[in-house]
Amino acid sequence: MSRFWAAGGVDTSSSEDDSDSSNSSNSSSSSSSSSSSGGSSSSSSSSSSSSGSSSSSGGQRPAARTGRGVSKWVEISSSSSSDEGGRVVHSAQERALSQFAAYGSSIRAAIGDSDYPALMESYEALIRAVAKNTKIAGVPRTVVRSMVETEDVVTAALKDKAAFRALPPKRGRALNRLKLKLRQDGKKFGGIMQEYRANPIVEEESDSDDESDDESAVIVKSKSKGKVVSESEDSDSDSDSDSDKKSDSDSDSDSDSDSDDSKSWASDSSSSSSDSDSSAGPTGALLGRAKWLKTATVSSKKDKTLSLQEKAARAAKRASARETERAAAESAAAASRKAAAEAVTASGLWRKVSDVLAGRGRKGSRPQDVARALLACHRQSHALGPRVEVPVAMHLVSAMFDSVRNMEEYMQTTAWSSACRHVVRICEVLAGAADGTEYELRVMTSDEVMDALMPGGKGEGIEVNSGGMKLAGSAGMGSALEKGMKEETLVNPHTGAPETLADRAERLYQEQESALTPEQRRSIGVAGNLVVFATRLEEEYTKSLQKINPHTPAYVERLKDESTLLDLLRRVQAYYHRTNGRSEAAAVALLRVEHLHYRHDIVAAQVDRAAAFAQKFGAAALVHPAARSVHAAAGPADAATIHPAAMCGRPEVAPAAAPSSAELLGELCSYVYVHGDDRGRTRAILCHIYHHALHDRFEVGRDLLLMSHLQDTITSSRDIGTMILFNRCMVALGLAAFRLGRIWDAHQCLSDVCSGRVRELLAQGMSMGRYGNDRNPEQEKAERRRQVPYHMHINLDLIEASHLTSAMLIEIPNMATETKTGRKQVYSRNFRKHRDIYNRLVFTGPPEQTRDYIMCAAKALQGGDWRTCSDLLMKLHVWNLLPGGRDTVSKIQAMLLEKVKVEGLRTYLFTYNEQYDSLSLSQLCGMFDLEPNVVHAAVSKMMINGKLQASWDQPTATILLKKVQPTALQELAMQYGEKLVALVDANERLLDTKSGSHGYKDHDGWKSGGDHRGRGSWGDRGRG
């Protein structure tokens, strides 16, 4: 291994311009690096010494391998080795540097011959080689010099327009391609190229010992330590290389070198020469086993201590120099930034914005870079007033949305928060936060936007509008040279002093601004719309909630941004309400309604309190635990007994005196009812009904639904999102009726939704069809985009439990009457289907799911066992999901127990009334554990409706049952009457569907006394 590293460690043995002095220097460098590595690399130093002696004697390296017939322990002479052509092993760095040198020579040759196609090929090959070998050889200054020379040649050639037009087409295309390539590479190598121009090197082959060579970007490998280090690092290899440079700058002999490595090299060579008397070959090289033995390096303790001190002093000196340079660079950068901020003008800023926006959307441009550049311009616009800041901010927000490449992606949280902050800033500036003046936005047309962003046009000077400015050149200005000549001849007409194009642009801008009236100054022309921005931010927020896993902390963190969104929507609505933009304000108010309607008062209070806490104290997770403890100081605190974090007391936020959610939602919905469009009014009504139902105001929500006739028109609506909102509204009404004990109303509201795919109708997921997926990919994507976020879901088990329980309490007594009358009247086909499936099961184990509990309870109720039925219903855990806490759960359980007792009584009477002549009221109260007035009311209602043929005997408090069966004619007449009623209802619904009206609301004719559909007015009908 030592022979391999000795052969591969020499850096410049195969170079064309090497000399004997460079060989000795390289061998000395190898020996010094081996000496500094310790005893583990002594074999490498011996091999280096043998290689150096051979190189100085004959100029050739001894062969690494012997011939086939010669023993592997016998070393052949250098002459025979050179005759047979020995193998030379080069490191990867050597190959990379030689490749760089070859390409550099080709570039200089092409520049001398003005061969632009060859220059283009050599330059592209050099750039590919640099990209491939950057980790191995870095970017040497010779490569940077080639790049700078190429750029200078191309710039000079393109500057001479006449000579460029006279070039052959091939050479002209090569120049244009080189210009584009240099512009592309300037983004990557612009820093080091600028540094090289400030301190260029003179000769490529000079072996100078300046510090500039140490500061180059060339990366070398340290063989002794096996890691990659930089030549500018403060390591042991730096001191070794410095000693090598000193020995190389002196005479060829090693006796004049005063470095520690040279001394160790001399000691190694002397020891090896004394020990090689018996084992040296004819050329002085070690032969046999002596060549593979390690040689110990003898060094005194004093020399080692001195060397360490020198290294430490040298490292401290370089560290202080770097710190000084860094401080100077920072101060210069700060000064340049301050000067740039002071020198920025409105016209100059608009030129920068125009340049940035010109590259927006082009091939190769990144949206992040465009947004970053516009953000820098926006920071500079703060000092120029609202008329400049607001348009730049609008362009910035619009550019931030470009980061979303397709509809399936969502805006990142950081970008979304930044866009929200900028929109809020725009609203604050428009409200007068900057200078106390309220401003209005004027949306610019597409032509105005293009004129503001694209320089050129007719006339001379600058055309300024209220939203931006347009630089206009003269008609004869064609080339850049002519524009420069034009700029030099500009004269200020007021002072007669010469001025540049930038000065003239700023002067005309200020003159135009000063000529505006106060009303014109309050109008700012912008490219964009705040309603569009608010709607897009709301869509991106909803989309992110759809994509993020709801069972992760990231979803909870994202939910905290809803308060930020609501505050932004409030500001935007206030701006449009102030500027009489009623329709836009109604659209924003609808967005607020959609983000407020699903929140219960209890949840809304907690969310608002958390948002106020975050605004006042920051994130709750950053508050110290001691500040939240009960020992937090409420007044003057003693530092000896209280934790320092609790000295200021517990961070608390007092509940704000804000209007209740019902009042706020009522105001917003009323605003939409007056100023919104048809779709907005429909969605506002549905959200309002949902909010009423969520807070158990069933009657108010039901009346609002019936007055709007949405249940009749929603089926003809083509807006799928509105239909989903209607389904959610009906489910909320059904759950509210169930909580209030209105079993019939709850069943009517839930029956339509629960009869099909509940998950799809509520947009809470996607269910697969019986024979696989029945949607194409586009339909599936569209359905996924309509999904409701997870925190807005209504629990499907709770819906199923409420619906099946309501159906059980209605169907079980109804099924008991069918066995006696023979008339089958179905109220819930869904319940009967599940009951038939449950009865057909061969083995029925203990109930596990919600449906199993309810089916078991229905079977027990049908058999008269109301206690088992109530026990099974009480065991359902879904009742804990109802809003309101334990009080609501206890009320629901008490209500269900009462309903089960009453329906059990009715089922008992329907089933066994023929077996009794009379029934005592006290006996029924004891059987079903009911109050006498409850039993009396239930039985009386059955008698009035004709369900039970009986009468009351008041003195004895008994029920006298009459066994009167209707005749066959009476049964047929009753069935005929029921069918006629059903037929009339069907005809009415068909007529309403065809005419598009409902009842007497035909074009509001009933208000004016008109006659529609032959029914006449209300007055005519009353008089007739």
Side-chain angles (χ1 to χ4, degrees):
M1 289 297 293
S2 62
R3 293 189 63 193
F4 172 76
W5 285 112
V10 182
D11 291 341
T12 57
S13 60
S14 61
S15 178
E16 296 177 359
D17 301 330
D18 286 348
S19 61
D20 294 339
S21 61
S22 62
N23 288 335
S24 62
S25 175
N26 289 328
S27 62
S28 175
S29 175
S30 301
S31 174
S32 62
S33 61
S34 302
S35 309
S36 61
S37 62
S40 61
S41 60
S42 59
S43 61
S44 177
S45 64
S46 63
S47 300
S48 300
S49 63
S50 63
S51 176
S53 60
S54 175
S55 175
S56 60
S57 60
Q60 297 290 336
R61 184 180 289 105
R65 297 179 61 186
T66 61
R68 182 175 182 181
V70 184
S71 175
K72 61 182 178 180
W73 300 108
V74 179
E75 183 70 28
I76 60 176
S77 63
S78 59
S79 59
S80 61
S81 173
S82 60
D83 294 340
E84 295 178 1
R87 178 185 177 187
V88 179
V89 180
H90 299 284
S91 65
Q93 182 189 0
E94 289 177 340
R95 293 194 297 270
L97 293 177
S98 62
Q99 193 175 10
F100 293 162
Y103 289 139
S105 301
S106 301
I107 288 175
R108 287 192 295 273
I111 291 174
D113 299 339
S114 298
D115 190 356
Y116 299 128
L119 178 61
M120 179 189 65
E121 295 177 0
S122 300
Y123 178 78
E124 291 180 347
L126 177 62
I127 295 301
R128 288 194 297 268
V130 169
K132 181 178 179 182
N133 300 308
T134 301
K135 294 183 179 181
I136 300 174
V139 184
R141 293 181 66 86
T142 55
V143 174
V144 180
R145 185 180 71 173
S146 300
M147 296 167 61
V148 170
E149 291 176 352
T150 304
E151 184 179 16
D152 294 342
V153 170
V154 172
T155 304
L158 291 175
K159 189 175 182 180
D160 190 359
K161 298 296 183 179
F164 177 72
R165 296 190 188 98
L167 287 176
K170 183 177 180 181
R171 300 176 68 183
R173 288 193 298 267
L175 267 180
N176 286 327
R177 184 172 177 181
L178 270 174
K179 180 185 68 173
L180 297 177
K181 185 66 176 175
L182 286 168
R183 183 183 302 172
Q184 181 180 0
D185 296 337
K187 300 177 181 179
K188 184 176 181 181
F189 304 107
I192 58 177
M193 293 173 67
Q194 187 175 2
E195 180 182 357
Y196 175 84
R197 291 181 184 276
N199 185 20
I201 62 176
V202 180
E203 296 182 0
E204 180 183 4
E205 293 83 11
S206 64
D207 198 6
S208 174
D209 52 354
D210 295 336
E211 292 296 341
S212 60
D213 294 338
D214 295 336
E215 296 173 357
S216 64
V218 181
I219 305 297
V220 298
K221 279 190 176 181
S222 174
K223 274 79 174 181
S224 61
K225 296 185 179 180
K227 63 180 181 179
V228 178
V229 297
S230 175
E231 289 186 1
S232 61
E233 292 179 355
D234 299 329
S235 60
D236 295 343
S237 60
D238 292 334
S239 61
D240 298 338
S241 62
D242 292 340
S243 62
D244 293 341
K245 291 178 182 179
K246 291 179 181 179
S247 61
D248 191 17
S249 62
D250 296 337
S251 61
D252 296 336
S253 63
D254 296 333
S255 59
D256 295 339
S257 175
D258 54 351
S259 64
D260 296 335
D261 297 319
S262 300
K263 293 178 181 180
S264 61
W265 168 257
S267 60
D268 292 341
S269 61
S270 61
S271 60
S272 61
S273 60
S274 61
D275 294 338
S276 61
D277 294 335
S278 59
S279 58
T283 60
L286 294 177
L287 297 178
R289 183 173 177 272
K291 181 176 62 175
W292 304 98
L293 292 177
K294 293 183 179 180
T295 59
T297 302
V298 181
S299 60
S300 62
K301 186 176 182 180
K302 182 178 180 181
D303 294 339
K304 290 184 178 179
T305 305
L306 183 60
S307 177
L308 292 176
Q309 292 177 354
E310 291 178 355
K311 292 177 181 178
R314 197 175 294 124
K317 183 178 179 181
R318 292 187 178 181
S320 62
R322 284 198 304 270
E323 189 68 24
T324 304
E325 293 177 359
R326 186 182 299 110
E330 291 179 356
S331 61
S336 62
R337 286 195 298 267
K338 183 178 181 181
E342 294 176 354
V344 65
T345 60
S347 58
L349 183 63
W350 274 113
R351 282 197 297 271
K352 294 180 182 178
V353 173
S354 301
D355 293 340
V356 173
L357 294 179
R360 179 183 172 189
R362 290 188 178 181
K363 183 178 180 181
S365 64
R366 299 174 66 250
Q368 294 82 1
D369 297 338
V370 175
R372 192 178 297 111
L374 288 175
L375 179 60
C377 296
H378 180 255
R379 290 172 179 170
Q380 294 178 346
S381 66
H382 291 314
L384 300 177
R387 292 183 55 80
V388 178
E389 179 183 356
V390 172
V392 176
M394 297 289 284
H395 286 300
L396 173 59
V397 175
S398 179
M400 286 182 175
F401 291 129
D402 294 343
S403 60
V404 182
R405 294 176 294 181
N406 52 55
M407 297 180 64
E408 302 301 325
E409 295 182 358
Y410 65 91
M411 203 172 182
Q412 296 299 324
T413 305
T414 54
W416 186 89
S417 302
S418 178
C420 282
R421 288 194 300 269
H422 287 99
V423 175
V424 170
R425 171 64 181 173
I426 293 172
C427 295
E428 291 177 350
V429 172
L430 294 177
D435 54 0
T437 304
E438 295 183 349
Y439 293 90
E440 296 182 6
L441 295 180
R442 181 181 63 84
V443 180
M444 300 169 61
T445 62
S446 59
D447 295 337
E448 290 177 347
V449 174
M450 294 299 295
D451 291 342
L453 297 181
M454 295 182 64
K458 296 181 180 180
E460 182 180 357
I462 299 172
E463 299 177 4
V464 184
N465 52 30
S466 58
M469 64 176 300
K470 183 186 80 170
L471 298 177
S474 61
M477 294 173 63
S479 63
L481 183 60
E482 293 172 349
K483 290 183 180 180
M485 295 174 61
K486 178 72 175 179
E487 184 177 0
E488 293 178 358
T489 58
L490 293 177
V491 177
N492 191 333
H494 301 291
T495 61
E499 62 179 359
T500 62
L501 183 61
D503 296 337
R504 169 164 292 188
E506 181 62 21
R507 177 176 57 80
L508 293 180
Y509 178 83
Q510 296 299 334
E511 291 177 358
Q512 185 71 19
E513 286 291 315
S514 60
L516 295 176
T517 62
E519 290 77 10
Q520 292 176 343
R521 290 186 59 85
R522 286 195 294 268
S523 177
I524 303 176
V526 294
N529 193 346
L530 285 181
V531 175
V532 176
F533 289 166
T535 305
R536 181 68 183 275
L537 288 172
E538 190 271 338
E539 291 176 356
E540 294 297 333
Y541 173 76
T542 305
K543 195 188 304 182
S544 66
L545 293 177
Q546 293 173 349
K547 299 295 183 180
I548 298 175
N549 186 1
H551 306 291
T552 58
Y555 190 87
V556 180
E557 291 295 327
R558 192 70 176 111
L559 277 178
K560 297 179 181 179
D561 294 332
E562 189 170 23
S563 59
T564 304
L565 178 62
L566 289 173
D567 180 68
L568 183 146
L569 296 176
R570 178 185 60 81
R571 293 173 183 270
V572 175
Q573 182 187 357
Y575 162 74
Y576 280 107
H577 180 72
R578 176 174 61 85
T579 58
N580 294 326
R582 304 301 184 188
S583 59
E584 292 84 357
V588 179
L590 178 61
L591 295 178
R592 294 181 64 189
V593 169
E594 292 180 353
H595 282 273
L596 290 172
H597 77 281
Y598 66 88
R599 300 198 303 184
H600 197 273
D601 285 342
I602 301 175
V603 178
Q606 295 295 333
V607 171
D608 295 340
R609 187 175 180 181
F613 183 91
Q615 184 178 4
K616 184 176 181 181
F617 299 103
L622 300 180
V623 178
H624 197 277
R628 295 182 174 273
S629 64
V630 295
H631 303 290
D638 185 8
T641 58
I642 296 180
H643 193 278
M647 296 290 290
C648 298
R650 301 181 65 181
E652 294 181 350
V653 177
S660 63
S661 60
E663 296 177 0
L664 177 60
L665 206 68
E667 294 176 0
L668 294 175
C669 291
S670 300
Y671 195 90
V672 178
Y673 298 157
V674 176
H675 303 289
D677 54 359
D678 292 339
R679 179 181 178 275
R681 285 193 292 267
T682 301
R683 294 185 67 87
I685 290 173
L686 292 176
C687 291
H688 206 179
I689 295 171
Y690 187 99
H691 192 263
H692 284 310
L694 189 63
H695 294 83
D696 294 339
R697 296 189 290 268
F698 172 77
E699 292 82 0
V700 179
R702 179 199 59 189
D703 296 343
L704 187 58
L705 177 66
L706 295 177
M707 286 189 297
S708 62
H709 295 282
L710 288 177
Q711 70 276 10
D712 300 325
T713 60
I714 196 65
T715 54
S716 60
S717 175
R718 296 184 179 181
D719 188 2
I720 300 178
T722 304
M723 297 176 69
I724 292 172
L725 185 58
F726 176 80
N727 294 334
R728 290 172 53 83
C729 174
M730 295 303 299
V731 168
L733 278 176
L735 293 178
F738 183 81
R739 290 192 296 269
L740 296 175
R742 307 172 70 101
I743 302 300
W744 177 262
D745 294 329
H747 178 262
Q748 291 297 108
C749 294
L750 296 174
S751 58
D752 292 337
V753 177
C754 295
S755 60
R757 299 178 176 180
V758 185
R759 183 176 286 105
E760 293 181 355
L761 292 177
L762 299 180
Q764 296 182 182
M766 300 177 61
S767 58
M768 304 296 293
R770 179 178 298 179
Y771 302 103
N773 193 359
D774 54 350
R775 315 175 191 85
N776 55 40
E778 294 299 327
Q779 292 176 346
E780 185 174 353
K781 289 181 181 179
E783 188 167 353
R784 290 188 184 278
R785 288 193 293 269
R786 290 192 294 265
Q787 297 298 305
V788 177
Y790 183 78
H791 68 283
M792 297 174 61
H793 283 193
I794 305 174
N795 191 271
L796 299 181
D797 288 339
L798 179 61
I799 298 173
E800 185 179 25
S802 302
H803 172 250
L804 292 180
T805 302
S806 303
M808 177 191 70
L809 296 176
I810 295 174
E811 279 291 346
I812 293 300
N814 181 48
M815 293 169 65
T817 61
E818 291 179 358
T819 58
K820 303 300 180 183
T821 61
R823 298 194 305 269
K824 187 175 182 180
Q825 186 175 3
V826 180
Y827 292 103
S828 177
R829 297 185 182 274
N830 191 28
F831 174 79
R832 294 207 178 198
K833 179 188 69 175
H834 292 310
R835 178 181 172 275
D836 294 340
I837 294 174
Y838 184 80
N839 291 334
R840 287 196 298 266
L841 294 177
V842 178
F843 173 76
T844 56
E848 296 179 357
Q849 300 179 356
T850 302
R851 186 181 301 168
D852 298 337
Y853 274 96
I854 296 177
M855 292 300 110
C856 290
K859 189 174 183 180
L861 182 61
Q862 192 173 12
D865 190 1
W866 63 271
R867 288 186 174 85
T868 303
C869 176
S870 61
D871 292 340
L872 289 172
L873 291 180
M874 296 303 109
K875 291 180 180 178
L876 288 176
H877 297 287
V878 295
W879 309 128
N880 297 324
L881 302 176
L882 292 171
R886 295 184 178 274
D887 296 338
T888 303
V889 175
S890 60
K891 291 179 182 178
I892 292 295
Q893 291 177 349
M895 182 270 296
L896 287 176
L897 180 61
E898 190 73 15
K899 294 293 182 181
V900 168
K901 291 178 182 180
V902 173
E903 298 304 327
L905 171 64
R906 298 178 69 243
T907 305
Y908 180 80
L909 293 177
F910 284 145
T911 305
Y912 300 107
N913 62 350
E914 295 183 356
Q915 278 73 29
Y916 292 93
D917 291 332
S918 63
L919 286 172
S920 174
L921 179 63
S922 60
Q923 181 183 3
L924 292 177
C925 293
M927 290 176 61
F928 294 97
D929 194 15
L930 291 171
E931 297 291 334
N933 56 348
V934 177
V935 176
H936 190 279
V939 175
S940 300
K941 188 175 182 179
M942 293 170 64
M943 294 178 184
I944 294 173
N945 293 333
K947 300 293 183 180
L948 182 64
Q949 302 296 329
S951 61
W952 280 102
D953 186 12
Q954 295 293 340
T956 59
T958 58
I959 304 173
L960 301 179
L961 299 172
K962 301 176 182 180
K963 301 178 181 179
V964 179
Q965 297 294 334
T967 62
L969 180 61
Q970 291 175 343
E971 289 287 345
L972 291 175
M974 294 172 63
Q975 294 178 9
Y976 180 70
E978 292 176 356
K979 291 183 178 179
L980 284 179
V981 170
L983 182 61
V984 170
D985 291 340
N987 289 338
E988 287 289 339
R989 288 195 297 269
L990 181 61
L991 182 61
D992 291 341
T993 303
K994 287 186 175 181
S995 61
S997 59
H998 310 282
Y1000 292 96
K1001 197 182 177 183
D1002 294 346
H1003 306 286
D1004 295 336
W1006 59 275
K1007 295 180 180 179
S1008 58
D1011 187 6
H1012 300 281
R1013 298 203 304 181
R1015 299 190 181 186
S1017 63
W1018 282 105
D1020 296 338
R1021 292 172 62 87
R1023 288 191 296 270

mmCIF file with all atom_site columns, all heavy atoms in Angstrom, residues 178 222 323 660 799 836 878 914 972:
data_model
loop_
_atom_site.group_PDB
_atom_site.id
_atom_site.type_symbol
_atom_site.label_atom_id
_atom_site.label_alt_id
_atom_site.label_comp_id
_atom_site.label_asym_id
_atom_site.label_entity_id
_atom_site.label_seq_id
_atom_site.pdbx_PDB_ins_code
_atom_site.Cartn_x
_atom_site.Cartn_y
_atom_site.Cartn_z
_atom_site.occupancy
_atom_site.B_iso_or_equiv
_atom_site.pdbx_formal_charge
_atom_site.auth_seq_id
_atom_site.auth_comp_id
_atom_site.auth_asym_id
_atom_site.auth_atom_id
_atom_site.pdbx_PDB_model_num
ATOM 1  N N   . LEU A 1 178 ? -23.549  31.784  -26.232 1.00 0.00 ? 178 LEU A N   1
ATOM 2  C CA  . LEU A 1 178 ? -22.604  32.046  -25.145 1.00 0.00 ? 178 LEU A CA  1
ATOM 3  C C   . LEU A 1 178 ? -23.154  33.116  -24.195 1.00 0.00 ? 178 LEU A C   1
ATOM 4  O O   . LEU A 1 178 ? -22.968  33.040  -22.972 1.00 0.00 ? 178 LEU A O   1
ATOM 5  C CB  . LEU A 1 178 ? -21.268  32.503  -25.728 1.00 0.00 ? 178 LEU A CB  1
ATOM 6  C CG  . LEU A 1 178 ? -20.238  31.408  -26.042 1.00 0.00 ? 178 LEU A CG  1
ATOM 7  C CD1 . LEU A 1 178 ? -19.041  32.000  -26.751 1.00 0.00 ? 178 LEU A CD1 1
ATOM 8  C CD2 . LEU A 1 178 ? -19.814  30.694  -24.778 1.00 0.00 ? 178 LEU A CD2 1
ATOM 9  N N   . SER A 1 222 ? -6.310   15.226  2.169   1.00 0.00 ? 222 SER A N   1
ATOM 10 C CA  . SER A 1 222 ? -5.199   14.928  3.069   1.00 0.00 ? 222 SER A CA  1
ATOM 11 C C   . SER A 1 222 ? -5.040   13.426  3.159   1.00 0.00 ? 222 SER A C   1
ATOM 12 O O   . SER A 1 222 ? -5.893   12.728  3.666   1.00 0.00 ? 222 SER A O   1
ATOM 13 C CB  . SER A 1 222 ? -5.480   15.520  4.455   1.00 0.00 ? 222 SER A CB  1
ATOM 14 O OG  . SER A 1 222 ? -4.496   15.136  5.368   1.00 0.00 ? 222 SER A OG  1
ATOM 15 N N   . GLU A 1 323 ? -11.801  37.436  11.151  1.00 0.00 ? 323 GLU A N   1
ATOM 16 C CA  . GLU A 1 323 ? -12.806  38.190  11.901  1.00 0.00 ? 323 GLU A CA  1
ATOM 17 C C   . GLU A 1 323 ? -12.810  39.653  11.468  1.00 0.00 ? 323 GLU A C   1
ATOM 18 O O   . GLU A 1 323 ? -13.876  40.274  11.315  1.00 0.00 ? 323 GLU A O   1
ATOM 19 C CB  . GLU A 1 323 ? -12.500  38.071  13.394  1.00 0.00 ? 323 GLU A CB  1
ATOM 20 C CG  . GLU A 1 323 ? -13.591  38.624  14.285  1.00 0.00 ? 323 GLU A CG  1
ATOM 21 C CD  . GLU A 1 323 ? -14.848  37.787  14.213  1.00 0.00 ? 323 GLU A CD  1
ATOM 22 O OE1 . GLU A 1 323 ? -14.739  36.584  13.868  1.00 0.00 ? 323 GLU A OE1 1
ATOM 23 O OE2 . GLU A 1 323 ? -15.925  38.338  14.479  1.00 0.00 ? 323 GLU A OE2 1
ATOM 24 N N   . SER A 1 660 ? -73.084  37.876  20.837  1.00 0.00 ? 660 SER A N   1
ATOM 25 C CA  . SER A 1 660 ? -73.201  36.429  20.801  1.00 0.00 ? 660 SER A CA  1
ATOM 26 C C   . SER A 1 660 ? -73.154  35.931  19.363  1.00 0.00 ? 660 SER A C   1
ATOM 27 O O   . SER A 1 660 ? -73.339  36.689  18.406  1.00 0.00 ? 660 SER A O   1
ATOM 28 C CB  . SER A 1 660 ? -74.504  35.994  21.472  1.00 0.00 ? 660 SER A CB  1
ATOM 29 O OG  . SER A 1 660 ? -75.614  36.516  20.750  1.00 0.00 ? 660 SER A OG  1
ATOM 30 N N   . ILE A 1 799 ? -75.915  9.972   13.817  1.00 0.00 ? 799 ILE A N   1
ATOM 31 C CA  . ILE A 1 799 ? -77.036  10.125  12.872  1.00 0.00 ? 799 ILE A CA  1
ATOM 32 C C   . ILE A 1 799 ? -77.811  8.827   12.751  1.00 0.00 ? 799 ILE A C   1
ATOM 33 O O   . ILE A 1 799 ? -79.054  8.811   12.788  1.00 0.00 ? 799 ILE A O   1
ATOM 34 C CB  . ILE A 1 799 ? -76.494  10.578  11.499  1.00 0.00 ? 799 ILE A CB  1
ATOM 35 C CG1 . ILE A 1 799 ? -75.814  11.946  11.612  1.00 0.00 ? 799 ILE A CG1 1
ATOM 36 C CG2 . ILE A 1 799 ? -77.613  10.625  10.477  1.00 0.00 ? 799 ILE A CG2 1
ATOM 37 C CD1 . ILE A 1 799 ? -75.119  12.378  10.334  1.00 0.00 ? 799 ILE A CD1 1
ATOM 38 N N   . ASP A 1 836 ? -85.571  -6.966  9.131   1.00 0.00 ? 836 ASP A N   1
ATOM 39 C CA  . ASP A 1 836 ? -85.714  -8.259  8.454   1.00 0.00 ? 836 ASP A CA  1
ATOM 40 C C   . ASP A 1 836 ? -84.375  -8.970  8.355   1.00 0.00 ? 836 ASP A C   1
ATOM 41 O O   . ASP A 1 836 ? -84.289  -10.198 8.526   1.00 0.00 ? 836 ASP A O   1
ATOM 42 C CB  . ASP A 1 836 ? -86.311  -8.050  7.061   1.00 0.00 ? 836 ASP A CB  1
ATOM 43 C CG  . ASP A 1 836 ? -87.740  -7.533  7.125   1.00 0.00 ? 836 ASP A CG  1
ATOM 44 O OD1 . ASP A 1 836 ? -88.377  -7.691  8.195   1.00 0.00 ? 836 ASP A OD1 1
ATOM 45 O OD2 . ASP A 1 836 ? -88.209  -6.947  6.132   1.00 0.00 ? 836 ASP A OD2 1
ATOM 46 N N   . VAL A 1 878 ? -72.888  6.662   21.825  1.00 0.00 ? 878 VAL A N   1
ATOM 47 C CA  . VAL A 1 878 ? -72.944  7.783   20.885  1.00 0.00 ? 878 VAL A CA  1
ATOM 48 C C   . VAL A 1 878 ? -73.644  8.988   21.478  1.00 0.00 ? 878 VAL A C   1
ATOM 49 O O   . VAL A 1 878 ? -73.476  10.119  20.993  1.00 0.00 ? 878 VAL A O   1
ATOM 50 C CB  . VAL A 1 878 ? -73.648  7.359   19.577  1.00 0.00 ? 878 VAL A CB  1
ATOM 51 C CG1 . VAL A 1 878 ? -72.849  6.320   18.843  1.00 0.00 ? 878 VAL A CG1 1
ATOM 52 C CG2 . VAL A 1 878 ? -75.051  6.861   19.861  1.00 0.00 ? 878 VAL A CG2 1
ATOM 53 N N   . GLU A 1 914 ? -107.907 -7.151  22.109  1.00 0.00 ? 914 GLU A N   1
ATOM 54 C CA  . GLU A 1 914 ? -108.992 -8.092  21.882  1.00 0.00 ? 914 GLU A CA  1
ATOM 55 C C   . GLU A 1 914 ? -109.124 -9.100  23.024  1.00 0.00 ? 914 GLU A C   1
ATOM 56 O O   . GLU A 1 914 ? -110.157 -9.769  23.145  1.00 0.00 ? 914 GLU A O   1
ATOM 57 C CB  . GLU A 1 914 ? -108.775 -8.838  20.566  1.00 0.00 ? 914 GLU A CB  1
ATOM 58 C CG  . GLU A 1 914 ? -108.845 -7.927  19.351  1.00 0.00 ? 914 GLU A CG  1
ATOM 59 C CD  . GLU A 1 914 ? -108.688 -8.712  18.057  1.00 0.00 ? 914 GLU A CD  1
ATOM 60 O OE1 . GLU A 1 914 ? -108.455 -9.941  18.146  1.00 0.00 ? 914 GLU A OE1 1
ATOM 61 O OE2 . GLU A 1 914 ? -108.778 -8.105  16.982  1.00 0.00 ? 914 GLU A OE2 1
ATOM 62 N N   . LEU A 1 972 ? -112.827 -1.576  2.498   1.00 0.00 ? 972 LEU A N   1
ATOM 63 C CA  . LEU A 1 972 ? -112.516 -1.154  1.131   1.00 0.00 ? 972 LEU A CA  1
ATOM 64 C C   . LEU A 1 972 ? -112.645 0.362   0.969   1.00 0.00 ? 972 LEU A C   1
ATOM 65 O O   . LEU A 1 972 ? -111.856 1.004   0.271   1.00 0.00 ? 972 LEU A O   1
ATOM 66 C CB  . LEU A 1 972 ? -113.441 -1.875  0.148   1.00 0.00 ? 972 LEU A CB  1
ATOM 67 C CG  . LEU A 1 972 ? -113.220 -3.382  -0.001  1.00 0.00 ? 972 LEU A CG  1
ATOM 68 C CD1 . LEU A 1 972 ? -114.279 -3.985  -0.912  1.00 0.00 ? 972 LEU A CD1 1
ATOM 69 C CD2 . LEU A 1 972 ? -111.825 -3.656  -0.559  1.00 0.00 ? 972 LEU A CD2 1
#
